[in-house]
Structure formats: structure tokens, C-alpha cells
Amino acid sequence: MPINVLFAATPERWATYEPALRRAFGGAGLNVYLAQEIPADDVDYIVYAPNSELQDFTPYTRTKAVLNLWAGVEAIVGNTTLTQPLARMVDPGMTRSMTEWVTGHVLRHHLGMDRHILDQSGDWTPVVPPLAEERRVCVLGLGELGTSVARTLQSLRFSVSGWSRSPKDVAGINTFHGDAGLDDALRQAEILVLLLPDTPATHNTLDARRLALMPRGAFVINPGRGPLIDDDALLAALDSGQIAHATLDVFRVEPLPADHPYWAHPRVTVTPHIAAETRAKTASEVIAENIRRGEAGEPFLYLVDRSLGY
Ligand code: NAP
């Protein structure tokens, strides 16, 4: 019996994903459809982007799993019509992309690149940066992405700590967990990277009290999700010099509204949610493996815990 896979994402993604999914399956036994091409009750699996038009899963009575194309599931996890297993995206290409993006922005701040790319003012004032081993970087979230980021920074000899909900043991990383652990982690965060999911428990993780715990003049890098940060508190911390610079890839409202104070702030870098895109080739291989598992009666990979929201 062929397996029917519905591709429910924005239509412009189809041209990239259709061949990638077929290739990942080796061409055997897989039909891939756009929504209008197949009756809902013939669909075995849904490859899903939360910004697709599909929001009511009730008609998909035969569907065995919904396979999210994004790592973040906050826009779908509360959908009460979705009763099938939901897998989030763990894509090696996305992980490498996030690791490269964060490493680049950590190095920018660590090395003081902005200061040392000289302009025509001719200000020749060298400020020698510390070595990486003298710089303390903290990664909030030690999941797929945070662990890869932490390991890569550690391999460059940064002094790396990390924080997660449950205890972790990552070689070479000083790990913290739970609420008390967060305060301790922040006290040593000269460069802070936020890679937590957007859940009710993570909203405003970085608030005024916690920003004040960080070493004065620290840097904040947020490729996680906008609601992790209390924006007013961050702006106040930037104005007071408690935070030297914030590099922000994600926001409560995207695109970031034209009148948002982040645009005009001299010590904020705004990037357009570009840190880590899902890569069709590697993501399709992950999707194919999960469908293979579903057909073989094996447990799905990367299932979302609906009670935790990630
Ligand atoms: P993940 O593997 O699920 O890891 C999430 C990490 O956050 C885990 O270590 C988890 O702790 C921790 N965590 C969750 N809730 C927590 C809480 N209440 N307190 C402390 N720690 C908590 O997720 P991922 O694949 O690394 O992705 C992380 C996030 O990155 C995504 O959810 C998404 O929002 C964002 N993202 C952004 C982009 C972009 O382009 N900007 C791209 C991809 C992903 P445990 O390990 O104990 O469970």
C-alpha cells in the first residue's frame, strides 16, 4: 500500500520539498500531495508548517502523525483538533545553521569587532579582547540546538555554562537546572544565548531582576523566541549600560513593527528570524525516518510533550 503524505506548508515551499521528500524515500511507496490534491481521510502523515492554511485536523481521521517542519511548536501545540502524535523538527542542517549563527555573533561581541572595524574618523584605539577561555558564555536551553552551540563554543575554548529544565551532564560544560540554577548561571553570563522554547514556563525568563544578576556590560543573543525576554526590561538594561548590546533574531511580533524601539536603539542588532532555517534535504531524511518508524510500529522520534509545550 502506498503511503500518502500531505505537505501542509506555504505553497512556495512545495518546489523544494517535493523532490527532497521523494529522494529521502528512495522513490518507493510514497505519494506526496498538496492539500487540494487528496481527500483528508486518505492522508497517512502530515508534513506541517504552523503557518500553513491547515488549522483544523478533525477531517484527518486516518493520519498517524503530524511531522512539524519547525523546531518551535508553540503555534500548534495548543490546537485541540490535533489528537495525533506531533513530532517537532530536529534537523542536522538546522542545528549546524544555528551553531554557525550563534558562534558568529558570540565572536562579534567577544572580539569587539564593531569597535575594530574602523571608520573614516581614524580612531586608532586598540582594545585587546580577552582570549575565549577568559570569556564566560552561558546558553539557556541545552536541547538539540543549545547543546550543539555550547559544545562548539567550548571547542573554541570559551568558558561555557548552560541551563535546562532537567539536570544535564555535558562534557566540558558547567550545567545548571531549575529556578535557583538560573540565577547562578546568569551571574556568570558575560555573553548570554537564549535557546529555550516558547512555553508558558519560559515567558519573560529574562526579566529585570535576572538582567540585574548578569555581569555589568554583558551581551544578550536571542535566537530562541521573542517572549523569552521582557522587552521593556531589556531596553532599560541597555539604556543603563547593564547590558552592552543585544542581538535579537526573534520577537513577540514578527516582522518587528516599524515603530518598535529596538530598531532605533544604537546597541541593538535586529536580524529577521534567520538564525536557523529548516533545510529541505536533511529535514526530509528525518521525516522519512519518522514515517518509516510509523509504518514499522516503532516509536516516533522527537515527539512533543503536550503538557510541557515543547
Ligand atoms: P529542544 O531540543 O526541545 O531544547 C529545549 C531546551 O530548553 C531543553 O534543554 C529544555 O530542558 C529547555 N527548557 C525548556 N523549558 C524549560 C524551562 N521551563 N526551564 C529551563 N529549561 C527549559 O529545542 P531545540 O531544538 O534546541 O530548539 C530550541 C528553540 O530554538 C525552539 O523551541 C525554537 O523556539 C528556537 N529556534 C529558533 C530558530 C531561529 O531561526 N531563530 C530556529 C530553530 C529553533 P530539558 O532538556 O530539561 O527538557
Side-chain angles (χ1 to χ4, degrees):
M1 258 269 284
I3 305 159
N4 295 330
V5 176
L6 174 67
F7 184 76
T10 49
E12 69 270 15
R13 302 275 167 173
W14 177 242
T16 312
Y17 273 93
E18 189 203 2
L21 286 166
R22 289 193 194 287
R23 201 176 309 120
F25 261 82
L30 180 80
N31 296 321
V32 194
Y33 297 97
L34 281 170
Q36 62 277 20
E37 298 172 348
I38 180 170
D41 55 5
D42 283 347
V43 172
D44 295 302
Y45 296 90
I46 302 176
V47 174
Y48 186 71
N51 64 349
S52 91
E53 284 182 359
L54 200 175
Q55 298 296 328
D56 179 7
F57 291 87
T58 318
Y60 294 88
T61 49
R62 166 171 143 181
T63 299
K64 295 169 203 158
V66 173
L67 309 172
N68 206 42
L69 281 168
W70 301 357
V73 293
E74 68 276 6
I76 184 184
V77 75
N79 186 326
T80 52
T81 69
L82 174 58
T83 53
Q84 296 90 343
L86 169 65
R88 67 195 190 83
M89 178 49 68
V90 174
D91 161 26
M94 182 200 293
T95 302
R96 291 198 289 277
S97 167
M98 180 62 81
T99 305
E100 291 174 15
W101 187 92
V102 171
T103 302
H105 286 279
V106 165
L107 286 172
R108 171 192 173 194
H109 296 307
H110 166 65
L111 295 173
M113 285 182 176
D114 294 7
R115 176 200 293 268
H116 287 141
I117 296 172
L118 301 183
D119 60 21
Q120 291 178 347
S121 67
D123 177 10
W124 191 279
T125 316
V127 178
V128 178
L131 289 173
E133 63 211 55
E134 298 160 327
R135 181 79 74 182
R136 295 169 298 168
V137 183
C138 177
V139 183
L140 302 188
L142 287 175
E144 287 293 328
L145 301 178
T147 300
S148 172
V149 163
R151 285 202 173 113
T152 298
L153 294 173
Q154 194 263 342
S155 76
L156 293 173
R157 299 187 173 228
F158 282 101
S159 171
V160 182
S161 60
W163 178 71
S164 51
R165 189 180 50 81
S166 55
K168 290 273 184 302
D169 186 6
V170 187
I173 312 292
N174 191 15
T175 56
F176 299 87
H177 69 279
D179 284 349
L182 176 57
D183 286 4
D184 290 338
L186 290 174
R187 284 191 186 95
Q188 43 191 276
E190 293 173 314
I191 301 179
L192 181 70
V193 179
L194 292 102
L195 274 169
L196 297 163
D198 174 355
T199 73
T202 63
H203 286 181
N204 294 324
T205 293
L206 203 55
D207 61 11
R209 185 186 72 79
R210 292 187 180 127
L211 281 159
L213 294 176
M214 294 171 66
R216 188 165 176 79
F219 301 93
V220 170
I221 300 175
N222 185 18
R225 282 289 184 264
L228 302 177
I229 296 179
D230 176 336
D231 292 326
D232 291 338
L234 177 58
L235 285 162
L238 285 158
D239 288 340
S240 74
Q242 169 63 10
I243 299 299
H245 195 107
T247 294
L248 308 173
D249 186 55
V250 285
F251 306 91
R252 285 169 193 264
V253 178
E254 296 181 7
L256 185 65
D259 60 351
H260 197 285
Y262 281 148
W263 282 117
H265 202 288
R267 288 186 300 285
V268 173
T269 297
V270 173
T271 61
H273 201 141
I274 194 62
E277 180 79 4
T278 304
R279 308 290 157 147
K281 180 176 179 297
T282 42
S284 294
E285 289 163 5
V286 173
I287 288 165
E289 168 60 10
N290 245 345
I291 293 176
R292 186 200 67 73
R293 284 170 165 259
E295 294 307 294
E298 296 172 20
F300 290 110
L301 297 170
Y302 315 128
L303 283 182
V304 172
D305 181 329
R306 310 278 177 101
S307 63
L308 291 172
Y310 72 99

